Amino acid sequence: MSALPDPSHHEEVLVSPMYLAGSNGTGDAGFAPVAHWPHHYLDDGPCQLLVTSPDQRIRIGWFGDDFELWRITAAEDAVATPRWTATFNHVTPAEIVAGLTTALAQDYAASDPYENNGRFLAGPSLYWADAVQPLLDAGWRRGAAKYGTVEITAPDGLAGVEIDTLRGGRDAETVMLWAGPRGWGTRAEAVFTARTPSHLIAETAAVMASSAPVVRERHMIHREMEPLVTLTPVGPAADPRVSRSPTPLDVRRTAVTEAVRRASRAPRTAADLRVMAAQSRTTSSARKRSSTLAPTAAARPPAASSAPRHSR
């Protein structure tokens, strides 16, 4: 017996904190700041889309099926070895990637390719705090760490940054922004190599420090993340009296509503009867819960909700 479609499965919700929202399956938000740059769609190889600056000094690669979903580099010229590399894994919200791509678009617009003076090629600051100042300003706390490293953690303990102050070689990975519990589907990671300009890391970190929520469909939230985030249904975007084209979400909701309506009006098939039975069980269960919980809910004031705190 197949279960009824759940109309809330594709419901759009606002997710906060944003750094725990995960990916929405597309790179649209990350590519939006460079939408006017050349796009190269690749049929062979793991990189499916490559967006480059007009002179190809900056390259933004989308690896749709890999753990490292994004790979972003900058070089002195189109054929030079990258000066620095930033990678974002498949759990990282594209909105965080947009913090970096927005800064790159601004730096490129202000640069002169003939003078090779792009700020995106500047050397990193000697002070590690310059790369993560937005996090410190937002109240993220420095914690204990082994020699040669600095760790800063969000107030909720669910995100942080690890910095290798010894820096290692020119291509060593020295800064890692992370969010979420360890696990394939729960841990977001953004890694920057040693010569990444500090202001680019700071712009990325500033997005992580933002309190603004992001939109996701409910099914996009990993089940282990649900207790750790706040989900707020997205209200109607427009006056319902104004005609508009239906969205995919509207189509799915209409299909479910029509299935229930048909079953209640003319239960001629086994499928219709199953719909009616499931609907009846749901209604009955809801009434029982309402009659049982109503006195308790009325007897006490609502408690303030608080996000669970976890340490790494």
Side-chain angles (χ1 to χ4, degrees), residues 78-105:
V79 296
T81 301
R83 178 184 289 267
W84 57 264
T85 300
T87 59
F88 299 82
N89 77 345
H90 67 298
V91 180
T92 307
E95 292 83 357
I96 292 179
V97 181
L100 176 57
T101 55
T102 298
L104 287 173

Side-chain angles (χ1 to χ4, degrees), residues 12 31 47 49 58 98 101 108 115 181 199 241 279 295 312:
E12 289 186 328
F31 284 117
C47 184
L49 172 62
I58 300 173
T101 55
Y108 184 80
E115 296 294 333
H199 77 282
R241 293 170 296 180
Q279 185 183 29
R312 293 183 61 238

Side-chain angles (χ1 to χ4, degrees), residues 67 87-89 91-92 176-179 182 187-191:
F67 172 76
T87 59
F88 299 82
N89 77 345
V91 180
T92 307
M176 180 179 73
L177 298 166
W178 62 268
R182 293 187 183 275
R187 178 87 160 195
E189 293 182 355
V191 179

Side-chain angles (χ1 to χ4, degrees), residues 31-173:
F31 284 117
V34 293
H36 56 294
W37 285 4
H39 286 47
H40 311 273
Y41 297 91
L42 309 176
D43 295 328
D44 299 323
C47 184
Q48 299 177 8
L49 172 62
L50 181 65
V51 175
T52 68
S53 59
D55 60 7
Q56 297 197 9
R57 289 190 294 166
I58 300 173
R59 299 189 173 208
I60 304 169
W62 164 268
F63 298 73
D65 299 319
D66 280 10
F67 172 76
E68 288 185 350
L69 194 59
W70 301 81
R71 183 179 179 86
I72 302 174
T73 65
E76 284 80 0
D77 58 63
V79 296
T81 301
R83 178 184 289 267
W84 57 264
T85 300
T87 59
F88 299 82
N89 77 345
H90 67 298
V91 180
T92 307
E95 292 83 357
I96 292 179
V97 181
L100 176 57
T101 55
T102 298
L104 287 173
Q106 293 171 347
D107 284 0
Y108 184 80
S111 71
D112 183 342
Y114 295 101
E115 296 294 333
N116 199 25
N117 62 351
R119 193 178 177 212
F120 57 87
L121 295 174
S125 171
L126 296 176
Y127 305 100
W128 60 262
D130 289 343
V132 294
Q133 192 61 49
L135 303 180
L136 298 173
D137 293 343
W140 291 37
R141 302 182 301 272
R142 182 175 178 179
K146 62 183 180 181
Y147 172 74
T149 64
V150 172
E151 292 188 7
I152 300 172
T153 308
D156 62 8
L158 295 173
V161 58
E162 299 175 4
I163 306 170
D164 179 1
T165 58
L166 299 180
R167 295 183 182 269
R170 54 182 285 173
D171 296 322
E173 298 177 348

